[in-house]
Structures are given as structure tokens and as C-alpha cells.
Amino acid sequence: GIQVEQSPPDLILQEGANSTLRCNFSDSVNNLQWFHQNPWGQLINLFYIPSGTKQNGRLSATTVATERYSLLYISSSQTTDSGVYFCAVGGYNNNDMRFGAGTRLTVKP
Amino acid sequence: NAGVTQNPKFQVLKTGQSMTLQCAQDMNHNSMYWYRQDPGMGLRLIYYSASEGTTDKGEVPNGYNVSRLNKREFSLRLESAAPSQTSVYFCASSEGTGGSGYGYTFGSGTRLTVV
């Protein structure tokens, strides 16, 4: 199956700072999603982005499919942004999504 | 609109006991999935159902069985629980399967401990 690597594994920010999270994958994908798992364990879908760029408020994401990576940008971070961010990818020839190990983000007030 | 509902939210089992985790979605999605999440790790797919009447193994199917009861419901059964199955279990649904290009909606999870 497709291999997914996320970096950095841990990130600590002061409130108001910006950050970039990276997701590398090993093969062509037909599906790429970013999720936020909050401290209570709930998984929230942030973006469905197999290619191109999308923005939603302070969050944006870019996927460069030809170079097999995706970036999640968080601007003006808030304490509520804390949690784990997962990248998940699905290929053309498989019917399941593979998750990376996640980036744990801590935003300090 | 509840989305994806999982029951129970917490469960403690003794080794060798059996149980069924329930999952239901009200979004008329075709595909449903069961994942497990172990501490400090991402999610791993146990089984999925691309459409009503079909089920397929994922990355870690051993020790589990599933039933796609109808379009709304997808259950996961542990026939003889083992401590290695202590985990948080998530159910998800989507309009199509992972390779078809659709976003996933997750339930809130079931925290299972096997002692």
C-alpha cells in the first residue's frame, strides 16, 4: 500500500504564530484528506484535496500531486487548534485510505 | 442530522469475551469503514464495505468480523477478545470508497479495553 509520512511529529507554538505541516506519500493518489483530531478524540475532516489549493478561514492546504506531497498551513494559531493533524491518502487501485502517524500541535497561550 | 453514530462509547471486556460494536450513518453514504487507533499512531483500516452487501479486508482484519446489515449500519464483531485489541475504534462513511475521491465522516469512537 501507499506509504504516508508526516512531519514534524511534534510542534509547539505560541498563540498567533503560523505553521506548516507536511505530508509525503509514496505513490499516485486519487484522494487526499487532512483531519484534525481534537483533545477529546473527535476526528474532523478539514480538507479533501487530492490536488490544488484550498482555503477555509485561517487554514489552507496545497497538494502537489506530481511531487507527492501536501502542505497544511495554519495562520494566526489559536489554542483551539491544538490536537493531532492527520493526512490520509487513497490510491487509484486500492479502496482504503492510509493514514500518516500525525503531527501533534500544541498552541500555548 | 447525526452523521455517524457509534455505540457503545466505552467498553471493558475480559479476555475471551465477545462483543459487537455498532455503527450507523444517516447521510445515505455508500461506503463504510472500521478503523482502529492505537496510542501515538495513525488509524489503521480493519474492514470496509464499498456498498451494501459487500465487505472487504483492510490492513489489520485478523480477529474481527463485520456485517453490513443495510445501507445505514455496519457492525464490527470481536469473537474472542484479546488484550492486543485494546484500542479506540472509529467508524467512518463516505459516498464512495477511498480510491474514488470522496471525503470521510467519522464517528466519535469506541474506547475498548480488554483485560
Side-chain angles (χ1 to χ4, degrees), chain A residues 17 24 45 47 56 59 65 70 91 94 102:
Chain A
N24 292 333
N45 192 312
F47 294 104
N56 184 1
L59 273 60
S70 182
N94 63 295

Side-chain angles (χ1 to χ4, degrees), chain B residues 32-45:
Chain B
M32 297 185 73
Y33 313 85
W34 277 104
Y35 283 87
R36 63 177 287 173
Q37 184 179 29
D38 299 307
M41 297 181 66
L43 281 71
R44 292 182 294 169
L45 182 67

Side-chain angles (χ1 to χ4, degrees), chain A residues 79-92:
Chain A
T79 55
T80 52
D81 294 331
S82 295
V84 182
Y85 290 81
F86 290 105
C87 168
V89 303
Y92 289 89

Side-chain angles (χ1 to χ4, degrees), chain B residues 23-100:
Chain B
C23 175
Q25 51 91 10
D26 61 2
M27 296 170 286
N28 202 37
H29 283 171
N30 290 311
S31 301
M32 297 185 73
Y33 313 85
W34 277 104
Y35 283 87
R36 63 177 287 173
Q37 184 179 29
D38 299 307
M41 297 181 66
L43 281 71
R44 292 182 294 169
L45 182 67
I46 304 170
Y47 271 92
Y48 68 96
S49 171
S51 61
E52 186 178 355
T54 69
T55 61
D56 285 285
K57 296 178 180 179
E59 187 180 358
V60 289
N62 291 344
Y64 305 95
N65 286 300
V66 291
S67 295
R68 184 73 182 268
L69 305 171
N70 48 55
K71 192 171 185 178
R72 289 188 64 248
E73 298 173 286
F74 188 39
S75 63
L76 178 71
R77 183 161 178 83
L78 287 71
E79 292 291 350
S80 179
S84 61
Q85 295 178 304
T86 294
S87 189
V88 181
Y89 291 84
F90 287 96
C91 177
S93 71
S94 68
E95 289 190 40
T97 55
S100 304

